Amino acid sequence: MPKAPRPWIVTRHDPIEKVEDNLWTIQGDVPGVPIKRRMFIIKRSDGSLLFFGCAIPLEDDLLAEISAWGRPAILVVTHNQHMIDARPFAEKLKLSVYGPKECEGKIRQRADITGFLADIPKDAAVDILPVAGAKTGEPVAIVRSAGGQRVTLLFSDAVQNNSKASIGFIPRICGFAGGPKVVPLFKMLFTQDKAALKRQVAEWSELPGLARLMFCHGDTVTDGAAAGLEAAAAGI
């Protein structure tokens, strides 16, 4: 018998962090797993909002604040394993859902999708690009703020930066702690071309205006963002 879709359930999360005029983020707990997850909210040039990463259900007052900031429009699911709350989130906010074609079948089992990453309407404020060499086709988001002077790179799972205190014992012994880095599990199970991934991560370290790195799993890097990516590339 098919499993019933997960309903809208608000779980523990931190307050909204207003990173830039066009970038907000919220970090919370992953239900049933001793690790944190983060949802990014990107305000596009037309005033619409694009949600990226892990969809996190929120209280009504926070949803009202977000809707007053911009018009909720798009949810980008980075791959099928980041979809615990994707369906109820998209349905409640009436969002168009986009995801990688590489895991289309598994995504469609958990939510209705509008299209793939290449189908997302283009916008000057953000690029959604596939991670080179990733089996799932997961993307990163490159967000431009302050007229393009500052760039924030948003990672799904390809690069993480987990402190030991933020994750459970099993994730720690599996190599999830520390970073920024490509964790061993991602390299072993979700990478089909390590050389391509290594080149791309190194190239991102040279992005003009690179101001910070942010992660679905892990702590933000503001000091030494370029050096952090260089170290991540070296470890692949």
Side-chain angles (χ1 to χ4, degrees), residues 22-24 26 39-43 49-51 66 69:
N22 64 340
L23 177 61
W24 293 4
I26 299 169
M39 174 174 70
F40 301 100
I41 313 170
I42 304 160
K43 189 171 187 178
L49 301 181
L50 182 150
F51 298 83
I66 290 167
W69 180 48

Side-chain angles (χ1 to χ4, degrees), residues 46-201:
D46 63 0
S48 66
L49 301 181
L50 182 150
F51 298 83
F52 181 90
C54 303
I56 299 178
L58 305 171
E59 296 81 359
D60 288 345
D61 59 336
L62 292 183
L63 292 177
E65 181 179 0
I66 290 167
S67 295
W69 180 48
R71 175 178 58 83
I74 294 171
L75 171 63
V76 176
V77 295
T78 53
H79 55 77
N80 59 289
Q81 295 186 40
H82 270 195
M83 295 185 66
I84 294 174
D85 289 305
R87 181 188 293 274
F89 193 88
E91 290 177 349
K92 188 173 183 70
L93 277 69
K94 298 179 173 58
L95 304 173
S96 298
V97 180
Y98 296 85
K101 187 173 179 58
E102 286 82 349
C103 48
E104 176 187 1
K106 292 181 179 179
I107 289 175
R108 288 191 185 277
Q109 291 175 13
R110 307 188 73 171
D112 297 326
I113 62 173
T114 304
F116 306 115
L117 301 179
D119 302 320
I120 299 171
K122 302 299 182 185
D123 189 88
V126 57
D127 287 331
I128 307 295
L129 303 174
V131 171
K135 292 180 182 179
T136 61
E138 77 165 63
V140 299
I142 300 175
V143 182
R144 300 177 186 85
S145 308
Q149 296 182 54
R150 291 191 299 274
V151 170
T152 302
L153 199 54
L154 311 180
F155 287 96
S156 177
D157 282 352
V159 180
Q160 302 184 26
N161 187 40
N162 298 295
S163 66
K164 289 184 178 179
S166 70
I167 59 177
F169 175 71
I170 297 300
R172 287 201 301 274
I173 64 174
C174 290
F176 281 84
K181 68 178 183 180
V182 179
V183 300
L185 189 66
F186 188 89
K187 286 189 283 188
M188 181 171 55
L189 298 181
F190 301 110
T191 304
Q192 60 189 0
D193 189 337
K194 291 182 181 179
L197 177 60
K198 185 183 184 77
R199 285 194 301 271
Q200 189 181 53
V201 173

Side-chain angles (χ1 to χ4, degrees), residues 208-219:
L210 182 63
R212 68 178 64 80
L213 312 175
M214 301 191 77
F215 312 88
C216 283
H217 307 296
D219 300 327

